[in-house]
Amino acid sequence: EVQLVESGGGLVHSGGSLRLSCATSGFSFDDYAIGWFRQAPGKEREGVSSISGLDDRTFYADSVTGRFTISTDSAKNTVYLQMNNLKPEDTAVYYCAAHKWFELDESDYIDPYEYDIWGQGTQVTVSS
């Protein structure tokens, strides 16, 4: 069974850091892109970052570039999102998702509508 399980969310003050984890199972990471997405109350889901299982290329939304870093562990079972210098506007439910990389164009990597396997989400709240 293909499964994604997020963890690591929580409450942090503005300027603080969190590391989210996405544990994957039931598929080969080498065939997929794994992305992080977020949805704030009343807003559409948006792309944050993604990594390609083909060549570990990474992609970031402009709003998080320089603050967030996506990575995988050596076994490629877990994808991390290190979030530094968090801002109140980063408050959202964060989801990881997967899609076969060979079905994605480069512009699709942080488009949530291109992903079809989703985790349950983890809440991140940044207080001012």
Side-chain angles (χ1 to χ4, degrees):
E1 179 187 2
V2 175
Q3 199 169 18
L4 303 172
V5 179
E6 303 95 333
S7 62
L11 173 63
V12 65
H13 290 299
S14 182
S17 298
L18 283 174
R19 188 177 79 160
L20 305 183
S21 298
C22 174
T24 71
S25 61
F27 63 93
S28 172
F29 177 82
D30 289 345
D31 294 332
Y32 283 80
I34 307 293
W36 283 99
F37 304 86
R38 65 188 182 187
Q39 188 165 19
K43 294 188 176 181
E44 287 194 7
R45 193 168 296 187
E46 64 174 356
V48 175
S49 181
S50 66
I51 185 166
S52 171
L54 169 65
D55 53 11
D56 290 341
R57 276 186 305 158
T58 57
F59 303 83
Y60 295 94
D62 290 344
S63 59
V64 306
T65 297
R67 300 188 298 124
F68 291 10
T69 303
I70 192 170
S71 63
T72 67
D73 64 351
S74 58
K76 291 193 172 182
N77 291 327
T78 303
V79 177
Y80 303 101
L81 185 69
Q82 178 66 44
M83 306 186 295
N84 297 329
N85 190 22
L86 283 160
K87 304 175 181 181
E89 53 262 43
D90 294 318
T91 295
V93 178
Y94 283 69
Y95 301 89
C96 66
H99 194 82
K100 294 181 178 177
W101 59 260
F102 45 86
E103 295 180 356
L104 298 175
D105 293 327
E106 198 161 290
S107 61
D108 296 334
Y109 270 83
I110 54 171
D111 182 347
Y113 294 100
E114 296 293 336
Y115 285 72
D116 56 359
I117 304 169
W118 290 84
Q120 82 289 350
T122 186
Q123 176 71 47
V124 171
T125 302
V126 185
S127 63
S128 57

